[in-house]
Amino acid sequence: MKITVIGTGYVGLVTGTCFSEMGNKVYCVDIDTSKIEHLKKGIIPIYEPDLEELVIKNYKNGDLNFTCNLKEGLNNSDICFIAVGTPMGEDGSADLQYVLSAAKEIGQIMSNDLIVVDKSTVPVGTAAKVKKVITEELGKRDVSYNVYVASNPEFLKEGSAVADFMQPDRVIVGSDNKCVIEIMKELYAPFIKNHEKFITMDICSAEMTKYAANAMLATRISFMNEMANICERVGADINNVREGIGSDGRIGYSFLYPGCGYGGSCLPKDVNALIKIADDYGYDSRILKEVELVNNKQKFSLVNKIMNRFGCDLSGYIFAVWGLAFKPGTDDMREAPSQVIIDRLIELGGKINVYDPKAMDIAKQHYFKDKSNIKFVSNKYEAVNNADAMIIVTEWKEFRNPDFYEITNRIKNKIIFDGRNQYNKDTLEKMGFEYHQIGNSQPRIYKQYSYINSVQGMPLEYFSK
């Protein structure tokens, strides 16, 4: 098929590339001329396993094209996917300006009947808005083309987006038109041999499904972090509790890992957007509000543990931070716990040595550009040189089984704060490490400090945003 994809971010670039991998003719369109020129040269703006190889291959064979000219794409397409950003607005809602702007330009340019597919994560009712905008623009041109708007939410995990697209758990299409559904089914046929994975429904339900899925995942994470915090107070071990409840077939193990909070471009944004949607319809979504509040507080859990160990004044202390990205397999630092942890430690007077396999450049250029007291190092062991403690923030594979004897020879104090519960506590304590986990009783009892209660002039409401 001939396809246009508007937007070359995580979703748009992966979508366009994977469709082209199956032999479709794809035009990826973006208003960022620099990004388009880089993509033509095989320079990928994001890190995603296998993506660069597929982009270069399909661009060279002519199935994948990059352009800033939407007309070039639409003139050669039967289907147009909208895959632009929907950032969180100040009130928590999804900002639809880029989606509606794309719809407007489609209406100004299209010269044949067209299927328009919302791939971006959008609130319920967006497809109707997109169709209205396109229809209005066609009316201004005094032309009449059939435009069919469908919803096809993405379920890609950063770090495995290509694999998720090529072998999806399910493909959801929301449409009230049987012909559109059949065309979408044909488009996705190479990806889903099991037809039960192709699920059709009304447009509103398809739009809602994406939000519901991410809200459920966020709820499981915050629930486990809530359980972890209770475990710390009653003397239980959350690692054992996770095994005990995960073995229940009704619950399972997925997204039951406690940690220092979730981040990224999806869960925080989508939970807040769903809260706002509920508010707009007069419903108080109390569970979702608590999910977000628990997560925001959880990002301070390691800071609190460090303060309990070293006190409120961290002047003169050096901390080795392993991990910047919000999860392994990506360089994405949006809403990452590392931002909160590093900012607060520096604010309390500490110095940071930090290493991440993929997110160093973006951290230097954007997130910690003007920060002092932070040193970016070339490998994980260099980070622990003369450090007073080591902090695990992202569970990269290369952090899972490090040489603890090498760490012992480099670190000043054999203290580890593990925000992802990567190691065996008994093993490390036998090696002489003081090992702090999430949801586990602490090695020693210290005076209990709380960052939230220690920062003067910082109301509790600040941490619930």
Side-chain angles (χ1 to χ4, degrees), residues 13 69 146 174 181 204 208 243 254 335 357 361 384 435 451 462:
L13 186 57
N69 186 349
N146 291 316
I181 290 173
C204 289
M208 184 65 183
E243 186 175 357
S254 296
E335 303 292 332
D361 289 340
V384 301
Y435 182 49
Y451 179 86
Y462 171 82

Side-chain angles (χ1 to χ4, degrees), residues 232 301-309 417 437 442:
E232 289 185 5
S301 58
L302 288 183
V303 177
N304 290 337
K305 291 178 186 295
I306 292 166
M307 291 171 62
N308 293 337
R309 179 62 178 82
F417 295 91
Q437 287 186 317
Q442 300 307 304

Side-chain angles (χ1 to χ4, degrees), residues 76-231:
N76 293 282
S77 297
D78 310 301
I79 305 174
C80 178
F81 285 84
I82 299 178
V84 297
T86 53
M88 185 168 62
E90 292 184 4
D91 62 354
S93 64
D95 187 345
L96 295 178
Q97 63 172 311
Y98 304 114
V99 171
L100 298 181
S101 176
K104 184 176 182 179
E105 193 171 357
I106 290 171
Q108 294 170 342
I109 293 174
M110 61 181 286
S111 57
N112 52 269
D113 293 350
L114 189 66
I115 298 173
V116 177
V117 183
D118 286 334
K119 197 70 173 171
S120 302
T121 301
V122 293
V124 176
T126 299
K129 293 180 180 179
V130 167
K131 184 168 185 175
K132 183 174 182 290
V133 169
I134 295 174
T135 302
E136 287 176 350
E137 293 302 317
L138 291 175
K140 292 176 184 178
R141 295 167 56 197
D142 196 24
V143 294
S144 180
Y145 298 114
N146 291 316
V147 56
Y148 308 97
V149 180
S151 174
N152 175 216
E154 56 85 15
F155 298 97
L156 307 177
K157 300 184 294 292
E158 290 187 37
S160 60
V162 172
D164 289 343
F165 199 102
M166 301 298 277
Q167 296 178 307
D169 293 326
R170 75 285 202 199
V171 173
I172 291 178
V173 173
S175 175
D176 54 7
N177 186 290
K178 291 183 179 180
C179 291
V180 170
I181 290 173
E182 287 303 313
I183 291 171
M184 293 294 289
K185 190 173 184 178
E186 182 182 345
L187 176 62
Y188 275 105
F191 303 95
I192 46 172
K193 294 181 179 179
N194 184 345
H195 292 292
E196 292 180 359
K197 292 185 176 182
F198 188 85
I199 303 171
T200 62
M201 59 185 70
D202 62 277
I203 294 175
C204 289
S205 296
E207 292 171 330
M208 184 65 183
T209 297
K210 170 63 175 181
Y211 280 113
N214 277 351
M216 173 61 80
L217 298 177
T219 299
R220 285 173 70 97
I221 294 171
S222 281
F223 174 82
M224 282 306 290
N225 285 333
E226 193 90 306
M227 293 301 102
N229 293 332
I230 296 173
C231 284

